[in-house]
Amino acid sequence: MHDAPRHEFDQDYWDRHWSQRRGPGERAPHPHLARETAGLAPGTALDAGCGTGTEALWLAARGWRVTGVDIAARALRLAAERAAALPHPGSVEWVEADLTTWEPGRRFDLVTTAYAHPAMPHRDFYRRLADWVAPGGTLLIVGHLHTDTARADHPAPALVTLADLTASVAPLRIETAEEHTRTVDGPGGHRHVLRDAVVRAARPR
Ligand SMILES: C[S@@+](CC[C@H](N)C(=O)[O-])C[C@H]1O[C@@H](n2cnc3c(N)ncnc32)[C@H](O)[C@@H]1O
C-alpha cells in the first residue's frame, strides 16, 4: 500500500493492489479478533473489506455465518479458493460490493473490519458499519493508528485515532478503545511494527 504516489482508495487502487499479489498471503488473523470476540456467541457476521478472507474464514470455522464483502474481485477469488481448499470451511458467502454504497438490507450480530480505509471519510464509513449492527450485536474496528511516525508506513487517509473511531460509532456503547503495538512478518520475511487502534462497541438490545 506504499507504492502509489496518491492514495485515493477507489476500486482501481484496490484492484491494482490485489492484482500485484501472487497469492492470498497466508497469515494468522489479527490477534484482536480472537480477544474481542471471545465472549460472543456465534451468529451472523459481516467482514467489511475482507480481502483474501483470513478473518472471515477464522470466524466461519468457529460457527459464525459470515458474509465477507470486498470491492476487489481478485481478493474475493483468492478468498473463495482458500475456502474451497479447507475440509470444513463453515458458512461463508463472498460478496463483491462497494461498502460506501452497498446496502446489506439486514443487520448482523457482528460487524468487523480491519484496515479497510475506503475512498470515503472514516467517520461516514464507520457510521455506516455501526448502522448494520443488530440489537445486542457488536462492531469491531481495527485501524492503523495515527502517530507521529505512522506516515512513513501508511498514507495519511489510512490512519485513524481512537477519538475518530469512538465518535463515529455512537450511539453504540463503547466496550474497548485501545491502542496496541505488535510485530508482524511482512513480505520477504521482514519484520515490522504495526500500531493498531482497536474499538469494540455494542448496540444495546
Ligand atoms: C488493507 S486491505 C485489508 C484487508 C483485510 N481486512 C486485512 O486485514 O488484511 C483493505 C481491504 O478493503 C477493501 N476495500 C477498500 N475499499 C473498499 C470498499 N469501498 N468496499 C469494499 N471493500 C473495500 C480492499 O479491497 C482491501 O481488500
Side-chain angles (χ1 to χ4, degrees):
M1 291 204 301
H2 333 194
D3 41 356
R6 298 177 67 226
H7 292 272
E8 290 176 342
F9 296 131
D10 57 6
Q11 179 157 16
D12 284 351
Y13 173 86
W14 290 110
D15 281 341
R16 274 200 311 279
H17 172 81
W18 287 115
S19 66
Q20 287 160 5
R21 299 293 176 98
R22 276 199 300 276
E26 294 295 340
R27 61 169 175 80
H30 66 71
H32 316 301
L33 186 64
R35 188 186 63 247
E36 298 295 336
T37 61
L40 305 180
T44 56
L46 169 70
D47 187 353
C50 62
T52 56
T54 301
E55 281 72 27
L57 290 171
W58 186 91
L59 286 166
R62 283 152 187 82
W64 292 86
R65 299 184 304 285
V66 183
T67 304
V69 176
D70 205 282
I71 200 169
R74 177 163 160 77
L76 293 176
R77 215 164 35 246
L78 292 167
E81 284 170 16
R82 292 172 83 182
L86 295 174
H88 305 290
S91 169
V92 59
E93 177 192 14
W94 309 108
V95 176
E96 184 185 338
D98 181 346
L99 288 157
T100 67
T101 53
W102 183 66
E103 293 297 341
R106 53 187 285 217
R107 285 176 155 179
F108 299 87
D109 300 313
L110 173 67
V111 176
T112 183
T113 190
Y115 316 114
H117 48 270
M120 177 185 233
H122 291 143
R123 198 162 283 211
D124 297 339
F125 179 63
Y126 294 125
R127 207 169 274 151
R128 282 174 69 69
L129 299 194
D131 280 347
W132 301 340
V133 176
T138 296
L139 173 63
L140 174 62
I141 302 172
V142 179
H144 292 301
L145 183 67
H146 199 303
T147 64
D148 288 344
T149 53
R151 285 289 312 264
D153 294 323
H154 302 285
L159 303 176
V160 292
T161 64
L162 286 180
D164 290 335
L165 297 184
T166 55
S168 307
V169 304
L172 272 54
R173 187 182 60 237
I174 305 295
E175 298 189 324
T176 298
E178 293 177 355
E179 299 178 358
H180 287 270
T181 302
R182 61 193 177 106
T183 306
V184 294
D185 289 325
H190 296 298
R191 307 213 87 196
H192 63 279
V193 173
L194 276 186
R195 304 234 28 222
D196 293 333
V198 180
V199 165
R200 188 185 79 210
R203 181 181 296 287
R205 284 184 190 282

